Amino acid sequence: MAERLRMDAEYLELRTKHPFVIARGGRSEYRTVWVKLRDVDGNEGWGEAAPSKFYGETAETIMAALPHLEGALPSDPFDLEETERRLEGTMRYNAAARSAVSAALHDLAAKRLGIPLYRMWGLDPAKAPRSTFTIGLDTPERIREKVKEAAEYPVLKVKLGGAHDVDILRAIRETTDREVRVDANCGWTVKQAIAMLPVLREFGVTVLEQPLPPSQLDGLGEITRRATIPVIADESCETAADIPALVGRVDGINIKLAKCGGLREALRMIAVARTHGMVVMVGCMIESSLAITAAAHFTPLVDIVDLDGAALLANDPFVGAGIAGGQVTLPDGPGLGVRRR
Ligand code: MG
């Protein structure tokens, strides 16, 4: 009889050290879902689904989607490519839920081989770039404190798109001369973004992420033409299929597992972006070290890493990939190499 994988799931209640605020709003309490697959020999594969209302998911929709996805599980955990397609065919959207199942299957497959996932993919963990650490929207006063608290991180990512963007950049530059990248999270109009370009230059910003709402691709193209720094599409780029329309309009793309739906799709996005000479970034949600580690395994393939989701937490339930001192370190245990704290 064919082997059957069993699925279990439970909620994880996460808390950030500070309320985390971006252009769309913010909070301190986050609920994600821990997905566990078990094979007949008792091997376990783990994944985490971090919902984003922006992409139409909550922890509760993830929990409701999982029994449907369980029906699409393979009998052979190495059947990764076909399974991801089948998960997508079973349930469109629900990318975070699907990505947790994909991560758990990859964890299980690499554990059965007794090797880390990055080794299963033939990647050199020493090639992982440094990760940024994010400073959310706040008052200039609090921003100065947060920048000081983040002293160990050599590259900062600053959330803009609110009413006090120039004040925030000034507060940061008064506090540090570290590298600063900016994410406007769709918060600007074309006119505002163009007005901000000289300001970004004045404050030495090196990367601009998603200045405009997702569908404004021509506007993105106009900003990219005028910008002297790379412009990266995040909310405008969910899966590999979004990349052709972005070619020539942005310099690069930001991959997140909770947007793209799985690790195979993430690798496909890297391949497609590279074909077009684009910069490749990997980002994250507010999520524990479990989801962060799944994404960290392919960081040797990318240029820009923003995997600080777990570093922002006060109660990370897992130990896995780290970004201490800004350097991404991959665990060398089998599979994802994640364990309970
Ligand atoms: Mg972003």
Side-chain angles (χ1 to χ4, degrees):
M1 198 180 114
E3 174 183 4
R4 258 187 64 75
L5 300 177
R6 303 197 58 102
M7 181 190 285
D8 271 312
E10 62 181 86
Y11 289 118
L12 297 170
E13 309 293 342
L14 307 177
R15 209 171 55 249
T16 52
K17 291 171 190 158
H18 302 288
F20 187 73
V21 184
I22 69 170
R24 286 186 286 275
R27 60 206 157 101
S28 309
E29 311 286 324
Y30 290 79
R31 177 178 258 199
T32 66
V33 178
W34 177 15
V35 174
K36 289 169 270 192
L37 300 181
R38 192 176 292 110
D39 70 12
V40 285
D41 298 319
N43 297 304
E44 280 197 13
W46 294 352
E48 180 185 6
S52 163
K53 277 219 180 88
F54 187 76
Y55 296 111
E57 288 182 274
T58 64
E60 292 69 30
T61 67
I62 288 167
M63 208 48 113
L66 288 173
H68 300 278
L69 299 177
E70 187 175 14
L73 286 175
S75 54
D76 173 4
F78 288 89
D79 189 16
L80 295 162
E81 186 71 29
E82 187 54 35
T83 301
E84 238 179 64
R85 295 280 75 80
R86 201 164 51 239
L87 291 169
E88 203 184 348
T90 301
M91 192 160 255
R92 286 184 65 208
Y93 312 112
N94 297 282
R98 286 186 280 115
S99 76
V101 178
S102 166
L105 278 172
H106 281 78
D107 188 27
L108 186 55
K111 271 182 183 152
R112 285 228 199 149
L113 294 173
I115 58 173
L117 177 57
Y118 66 77
R119 249 186 96 64
M120 193 168 97
W121 283 337
L123 303 179
D124 176 0
K127 294 267 163 64
R130 295 189 303 188
S131 176
T132 49
F133 184 83
T134 303
I135 307 291
L137 287 174
D138 217 322
T139 61
E141 184 93 320
R142 294 282 304 126
I143 296 256
R144 282 191 203 91
E145 286 170 31
K146 285 180 179 176
V147 169
K148 283 178 192 152
E149 272 176 42
E152 69 173 294
Y153 301 102
V155 188
L156 299 176
K157 174 165 136 174
V158 177
K159 294 290 194 181
L160 295 184
H164 307 288
D165 291 341
V166 180
D167 297 334
I168 288 172
L169 286 172
R170 188 172 299 117
I172 285 172
R173 271 297 168 248
E174 281 166 7
T175 319
T176 184
D177 56 5
R178 277 175 274 169
E179 181 178 348
V180 170
R181 301 169 184 166
V182 157
D183 186 356
N185 283 109
C186 314
W188 292 338
T189 62
V190 174
K191 205 172 153 191
Q192 285 171 318
I194 288 171
M196 279 301 287
L197 289 176
V199 179
L200 300 182
R201 196 163 4 183
E202 179 192 340
F203 289 104
V205 171
T206 57
V207 174
L208 172 59
E209 198 181 322
Q210 196 70 39
L212 304 181
S215 60
Q216 296 186 15
L217 302 190
D218 288 333
L220 281 175
E222 191 176 343
I223 292 161
T224 301
R225 268 193 305 282
R226 292 167 183 250
T228 51
I229 54 175
V231 177
I232 308 287
D234 179 0
E235 286 87 340
S236 296
C237 186
E238 295 179 24
T239 68
D242 296 320
I243 297 175
L246 290 164
V247 173
R249 292 189 165 106
V250 292
D251 299 294
I253 58 151
N254 186 1
I255 299 167
K256 291 177 185 161
L257 291 177
K259 284 190 301 182
C260 77
L263 288 159
R264 309 297 300 181
E265 182 63 20
L267 297 181
R268 187 171 301 110
M269 291 176 83
I270 295 171
V272 172
R274 291 297 184 207
T275 303
H276 294 288
M278 294 169 107
V279 172
V280 179
M281 171 172 176
V282 58
C284 62
M285 302 298 175
I286 301 291
E287 54 199 15
S288 83
S289 281
L290 177 52
I292 292 294
T293 305
H297 275 271
F298 61 81
T299 52
L301 291 170
V302 312
D303 308 298
I304 298 179
V305 175
D306 177 31
L307 288 181
D308 60 356
L312 295 163
L313 295 179
N315 65 337
D316 186 357
F318 298 99
V319 179
I323 60 163
Q327 183 55 51
V328 176
T329 48
L330 286 168
D332 52 15
L336 294 178
V338 174
R339 58 179 172 80
R340 291 262 7 203
R341 184 170 295 277

